[in-house]
Amino acid sequence: MSVLFPFHGGLKTVRHKIESNQGSILAGPLPRQLTVPLRQHIGAIAKPLVQAGDRVLKGQMIGQADGYISAAVHAPSSGMVTAVESRPVPHPSGLPDACVIIDTDGEERWIERQAVDYRRLHSSEVRGALRNAGVVGLGGAVFPSAVKLNPGGHDKPLDTLILNGAECEPWITCDDRLMRERAAGIVAGLHVMVHLLEPREVLIGIEDDKPDAAAAMTAACAGTGYQVRVVPTRYPSGSVKQLVHLLTGKEIPFDGLPADIGVQCFNVATAHAVHRAIDFGEPVLSRVVTVTGQVAQPGNVEVLLGTPFAALVELCGGYRDGVERLIMGGPMMGFALHDDGVPVTKATNCILAAGAEALPPEQPPMPCIRCGACVEVCPANLLPQQLYWHARAKEFDKAQDYHLFSCIECGCCSTVCPSHIPLVQFYRYAKNEIWAQEKEKQKAELARQRHQARLERLEREQKEREAKLRQKTPPRPVPAAKALEVDQLPIEAAVARARPERGAAPVDEPQPSVAVTADGAERDG
Amino acid sequence: MRFKTATSPHILRETGVGQVMRRVLYAMAPGIAALAWFFGWGVLVNLTLATVVALVAETLMLAARGKPLALHLGDCSAVVTAWLLAAALPSLAPWWLTALGVAFAIVVAKHLYGGLGYNPFNPAMVGYVVLLISFPREMSTWPIPHGVGQAHVLGLPETLEIVFGGAGRLVADGLTGATPLDVLRTQLGLGLTVTEIRNSPVFGIVSGSGWEWAALGFLAGGLWLVYIRAADWRIPAGMLGGLAAIATVFYLVDPQRYAPPWFHVWSGAAIFGAFFIATDPVTASTTPRGRLIYGAGIGVLVYVIRAFGGYPDGVAFAVLLMNIAAPTIDLYTQPRVFGARGR
């Protein structure tokens, strides 16, 4: 057995995996209408390439990656674009975002697909292909994979490539099923990643509550040198920082990236998406989603992006009684949705229709008794009770002294708090307040800079005018009069301002005085 | 279909403050049973009286502060304060002594300092110290433990008569005697050696007879608290370790003038204090390293007070002194954050 490096804290949570991991991955429905958000990734929103009335083919790019950190978006099925407009999307804010609405024609007509011979092409071309295929982290973070697959971006050589199959959140089993059923595809995608990054070792981390998945992956990795590491079931071992520590003993700096310590980490589903994109030329059009909780037939479904949650729940037999919250993601870090009309996106790994089984009765918060239960479970090794104290008192600088931004919002502290204080909510609040303050500061700084630049411009223009004036009247060497004239300018300006309607202010040079007038007015305002 | 929303995490453990507090009460049971066996009905009378006074004081203060009564009475924190103080009081203390101490602890030391979670000082120990300073005679009048000397066992009616009627009869009947730590202290002052003093019948196998069994009871309950993680092991480990360490140093210097470390650890309120008083999370340090230091500080202070101070035992003062230091200890013992460079 290989050595593991346990991280501090963490929790043994309820599992609830058995509900959804028994059956194989089902094919999703083909809804009449797909709502495809143009922002399904971290970074700049994709630029729409279609408009209402356009016919699209399955796999056709409908949104183009805009900038380096961005990803393309594709039509998940063939049909007609009926609108490009703001629609509700699954986001904690509940705010709508730009979406392409496609009325499907049921024909599933594909674009021409072409495999990418990644061993022949230059690595930048391979990454470009991944970017154009819309490959992003499918573990939930949806960071554009092409960016992480660029070894040139970091001065440190890559020691370890980690594939994350931990799936530590309760209830979620989509990666479990994917590893069991499509291990070969995952390993094929891994080959592409290894080709691009050239790591010294490849480790695949899987929690020990998924023995079948671990066995399937071990079999698929035979002869490749990739090593499957079974890790103890302990939330949040699937968090990148914790998994990297667990497998390598290295800590990702709290203000840095995995690449800073020679590590890169991808989700197993991302590797599978890479495989489909490179070996088959298929962009990311669907993903495996766990539908579980209070639904009649929980399970995993391969769903077209843009499919409304409601259609997916219907496929799984509809809701059972007692659904109290609809959660996207797991119960520890997922967020509750207002409405099941929102579409599945690349970030949707699980839909949990949470009933009493998943949600213990809410209890009123009590004062913090400083018991330190939160300290014991914090995987970031923070002092949650101090963060809470300062966040509550709005002492945001103190909260930052206690490393507020190292908090990964895993929820362990809130879960164990005997006083039932919504700790994570306080940290989110503090972070948002600090970001808002930063923005204010930046705005003020920008305004100051603009004001400064304007003053300088005015001065420069004035000097230029003086120079011009001097050039125009070279034979009149009367410096005293000249000085007088300049001094008079503000006076004339004031006169002009006071009586603008007369329009006959006795000004020698109307242009500069108008400029000064406008400035004066602006400054007064 | 529309749903209610809430922020993550969506799962919470069902343990509550009330459960934490009730576990402390359960853990005190063996120690209290031993105390009751050796010191009679008075222990239980004290406990009952203290509980009633604490609940009345808590109810009045909660009402005055406009807090929901059921929620906060249900957290049992007032009962814990009452029991901690009652267990530390002489078993035949007059009723008004217990009532005054508990009322002061709840009204002043707990609620006027901000209530549950905000009080900087351990309320039970504030109550104890107020009584110790104001009524030193009543506070040092302990009955002789069962099995020592000729003391006859008081029945419940007699006990009630003494507690509510007056302590005159108690002293007249020769039912009281000096505690082991008292004996040690006064006789060391008279120039006797530790070996000579320990021949007195008030001493048992390790420390005071009777007392040592109560300490065993509290140790058992305390270890259970640590085992179920209701108390952090670092605080009792730090306190008993600190006490033992400094006692060992002096014992090695002069074993005839300084009692052995095992005597100190097992005497007075050391075990009780280590597992039940110092572990009060509200007033203790909260960082892992800080808790060791906090505990060790109490242990050292207990020894200093016992060996060189004006009182035979010093747990209450030591705890209050370290309560003051807790925020500073916390500030300087922050754990290294995951991913922090250097340090």
Side-chain angles (χ1 to χ4, degrees):
Chain A
M1 260 316 278
S2 48
V3 187
L4 293 175
F5 304 86
F7 53 90
H8 175 266
L11 273 184
K12 281 227 172 288
T13 61
V14 291
R15 301 310 298 162
H16 290 296
K17 302 278 197 183
I18 196 96
E19 284 88 341
S20 58
N21 73 357
Q22 296 302 299
S24 48
I25 299 170
L26 302 172
L30 178 60
R32 280 265 174 76
Q33 192 175 67
L34 293 165
T35 306
V36 188
L38 287 165
R39 193 198 310 269
Q40 298 189 45
H41 49 265
I42 286 182
I45 187 166
K47 265 194 287 193
L49 298 175
V50 290
Q51 53 192 13
D54 288 356
R55 292 220 144 264
V56 289
L57 295 174
K58 185 180 175 89
Q60 181 181 334
M61 193 187 288
I62 54 174
Q64 188 182 18
D66 186 12
Y68 184 56
I69 300 186
S70 185
V73 176
H74 305 78
S77 185
S78 57
M80 166 97 80
V81 175
T82 53
V84 179
E85 62 184 25
S86 264
R87 287 285 178 96
V89 293
H91 190 269
S93 69
L95 295 174
D97 203 1
C99 297
V100 175
I101 320 299
I102 300 170
D103 278 1
T104 57
D105 56 17
E107 293 175 20
E108 291 271 88
R109 271 180 297 135
W110 271 94
I111 48 157
E112 199 184 320
R113 285 163 280 176
Q114 202 158 25
V116 179
D117 188 355
Y118 66 92
R119 289 189 180 84
R120 292 262 172 79
L121 289 176
H122 189 264
S123 64
S124 67
E125 288 172 283
V126 180
R127 285 196 301 275
L130 289 172
R131 220 155 72 93
N132 285 334
V135 178
V136 299
L138 295 180
V142 291
F143 189 82
S145 301
V147 178
K148 282 164 74 179
L149 285 166
N150 184 359
H154 311 282
D155 39 357
K156 243 191 130 159
L158 196 70
D159 293 328
T160 312
L161 173 62
I162 291 175
L163 209 55
N164 187 346
E167 200 164 59
C168 59
E169 274 251 19
W171 294 94
I172 308 179
T173 59
C174 56
D175 291 347
D176 181 9
R177 285 311 313 187
L178 193 76
M179 287 187 283
R180 288 198 217 181
E181 296 175 35
R182 303 180 191 172
I186 295 169
V187 174
L190 196 47
H191 288 324
V192 180
M193 293 174 166
V194 169
H195 178 75
L196 291 173
L197 291 171
E198 298 177 348
R200 286 198 301 116
E201 58 173 352
V202 177
L203 304 176
I204 302 166
I206 302 172
E207 276 193 347
D208 61 9
D209 65 346
K210 290 180 272 297
D212 293 350
M217 289 300 292
T218 308
C221 289
T224 60
Y226 308 156
Q227 298 166 50
V228 172
R229 296 271 166 94
V230 175
V231 302
T233 299
R234 186 168 191 84
Y235 179 85
S237 69
S239 156
V240 175
K241 290 182 176 191
Q242 277 60 44
L243 186 64
V244 168
H245 188 272
L246 200 51
L247 295 180
T248 68
K250 294 181 187 173
E251 282 186 18
I252 300 170
F254 68 78
D255 52 355
L257 296 168
D260 296 347
I261 54 165
V263 178
Q264 202 55 277
C265 185
F266 294 91
N267 183 268
V268 287
T270 313
H272 191 260
V274 168
H275 160 63
R276 297 306 300 180
I278 297 297
D279 297 333
F280 294 92
E282 284 177 17
V284 180
L285 305 182
S286 64
R287 65 156 299 145
V288 181
V289 179
T290 304
V291 185
T292 187
Q294 294 295 102
V295 293
Q297 294 138 23
N300 284 285
V301 187
E302 174 144 22
V303 195
L304 294 179
L305 303 173
T307 304
F309 281 23
L312 194 49
V313 170
E314 206 175 305
L315 183 84
C316 293
Y319 298 108
R320 283 190 280 144
D321 290 341
V323 181
E324 288 170 32
R325 267 178 229 170
L326 187 67
I327 297 167
M328 174 170 136
M332 293 300 289
M333 291 185 76
F335 54 89
L337 296 161
H338 292 287
D339 195 292
D340 61 3
V342 294
V344 168
T345 71
K346 292 173 188 175
T348 311
N349 52 1
C350 177
I351 298 173
L352 170 58
E357 203 182 358
L359 306 170
E362 271 181 70
Q363 297 182 54
M366 298 278 289
C368 168
I369 56 167
R370 304 175 68 73
C371 64
C374 48
V375 180
E376 293 212 348
V377 298
C378 180
N381 220 5
L382 298 166
L383 294 174
Q385 83 283 11
Q386 300 299 99
L387 285 175
Y388 160 68
W389 187 266
H390 293 306
R392 210 182 116 112
K394 303 190 181 181
E395 297 167 343
F396 300 124
D397 47 340
K398 292 257 180 63
Q400 277 176 284
D401 288 348
Y402 280 93
H403 306 277
L404 173 67
F405 284 96
S406 284
C407 169
I408 58 172
E409 298 180 21
C410 65
C412 288
C413 52
S414 298
T415 303
V416 299
C417 180
S419 294
H420 307 114
I421 301 169
L423 292 163
V424 178
Q425 211 171 315
F426 276 96
Y427 309 149
R428 290 197 186 111
Y429 158 74
K431 286 178 182 175
N432 284 331
E433 286 293 307
I434 292 167
W435 283 324
Q437 283 177 7
E438 287 291 317
K439 256 187 201 156
E440 279 301 307
K441 243 191 256 171
Q442 277 171 8
K443 258 196 218 161
E445 174 63 19
L446 194 67
R448 197 189 63 77
Q449 282 174 1
R450 280 167 65 182
H451 180 66
Q452 191 69 33
R454 198 172 134 279
L455 289 181
E456 280 164 16
R457 193 194 74 227
L458 290 179
E459 203 176 328
R460 197 180 59 237
E461 283 176 0
Q462 181 121 343
K463 279 189 183 143
E464 281 169 8
R465 282 194 299 275
E466 286 167 23
K468 249 189 216 163
L469 204 63
R470 244 178 271 134
Q471 268 181 354
K472 261 189 194 169
T473 55
R476 255 172 54 191
V478 194
K482 176 89 192 163
L484 192 68
E485 201 180 331
V486 171
D487 282 348
Q488 276 174 343
L489 272 176
I491 300 168
E492 288 162 6
V495 171
R497 191 163 63 231
R499 300 179 294 182
E501 69 279 10
R502 291 189 190 176
V507 183
D508 286 341
E509 295 200 26
Q511 269 183 341
S513 66
V514 166
V516 173
T517 308
D519 290 343
E522 222 175 276
R523 209 170 301 162
D524 288 346
Chain B
M1 201 168 153
R2 291 190 69 79
F3 300 91
K4 278 187 284 183
T5 60
T7 56
S8 68
H10 303 278
I11 46 179
L12 304 171
R13 289 225 174 129
E14 288 176 64
T15 51
V17 175
Q19 190 180 357
V20 173
M21 298 292 173
R22 276 189 292 277
R23 284 172 164 181
V24 175
L25 296 180
Y26 305 149
M28 283 174 73
I32 285 178
L35 277 179
W37 172 259
F38 286 102
F39 297 98
W41 285 100
V43 173
L44 301 178
V45 173
N46 264 356
L47 213 62
T48 314
L49 181 61
T51 306
V52 171
V53 173
L55 287 175
V56 170
E58 177 93 347
T59 308
L60 293 177
M61 287 311 287
L62 286 172
R65 295 177 60 214
K67 299 275 176 188
L69 286 183
L71 179 64
H72 286 269
L73 283 175
D75 70 25
C76 290
S77 59
V79 181
V80 169
T81 300
W83 283 31
L84 292 177
L85 181 52
L89 291 178
S91 56
L92 292 172
W95 67 271
W96 53 265
L97 192 78
T98 310
L100 187 69
V102 172
F104 193 90
I106 298 290
V107 173
V108 179
K110 183 177 179 187
H111 283 287
L112 293 189
Y113 274 107
L116 179 70
Y118 295 90
N119 49 304
F121 298 107
N122 187 314
M125 290 302 100
V126 171
Y128 183 85
V129 164
V130 164
L131 297 180
L132 189 63
I133 294 173
S134 313
F135 310 99
R137 194 168 56 84
E138 284 81 355
M139 287 297 283
S140 55
T141 310
W142 273 89
I144 297 167
H146 179 63
V148 177
Q150 307 299 314
H152 80 283
V153 181
L154 291 173
L156 182 58
E158 283 176 293
T159 305
L160 289 173
E161 197 187 318
I162 291 170
V163 169
F164 291 96
R169 213 192 118 209
L170 179 64
V171 182
D173 285 4
L175 291 173
T176 64
T179 65
L181 280 171
D182 256 333
V183 173
L184 181 72
R185 185 183 163 68
T186 40
Q187 301 207 354
L188 278 174
L190 296 173
L192 275 70
T193 66
V194 170
T195 323
E196 289 165 340
I197 299 166
R198 288 220 46 191
N199 287 328
S200 156
V202 298
F203 295 100
I205 306 160
V206 188
S207 63
S209 51
W211 294 91
E212 58 194 9
W213 293 102
L216 185 67
F218 285 122
L219 178 68
L223 288 176
W224 177 69
L225 276 187
V226 168
Y227 175 72
I228 61 166
R229 303 214 165 188
D232 192 334
W233 63 271
R234 293 176 184 88
I235 294 176
M239 173 168 163
L240 297 177
L243 177 60
I246 188 170
T248 306
V249 171
F250 282 95
Y251 180 66
L252 291 177
V253 169
D254 187 349
Q256 287 311 318
R257 284 204 45 211
Y258 299 101
W262 52 88
F263 175 84
H264 273 290
V265 165
W266 213 255
S267 283
I271 297 277
F272 175 63
F275 286 95
F276 292 91
I277 307 275
T279 50
D280 167 28
V282 174
T283 57
S285 172
T286 58
T287 65
R289 252 189 322 143
R291 284 179 163 174
L292 275 173
I293 296 171
Y294 169 83
I298 295 175
V300 169
L301 282 172
V302 165
Y303 187 82
V304 169
I305 294 169
R306 280 182 185 175
F308 312 108
Y311 290 92
D313 203 356
V315 172
F317 288 109
V319 166
L320 292 181
L321 284 170
M322 290 309 289
N323 285 166
I324 307 174
T328 313
I329 296 174
D330 278 356
L331 187 64
Y332 288 103
T333 54
Q334 294 175 36
R336 183 185 156 279
V337 171
F338 187 98
R341 295 174 203 267
R343 256 214 290 167

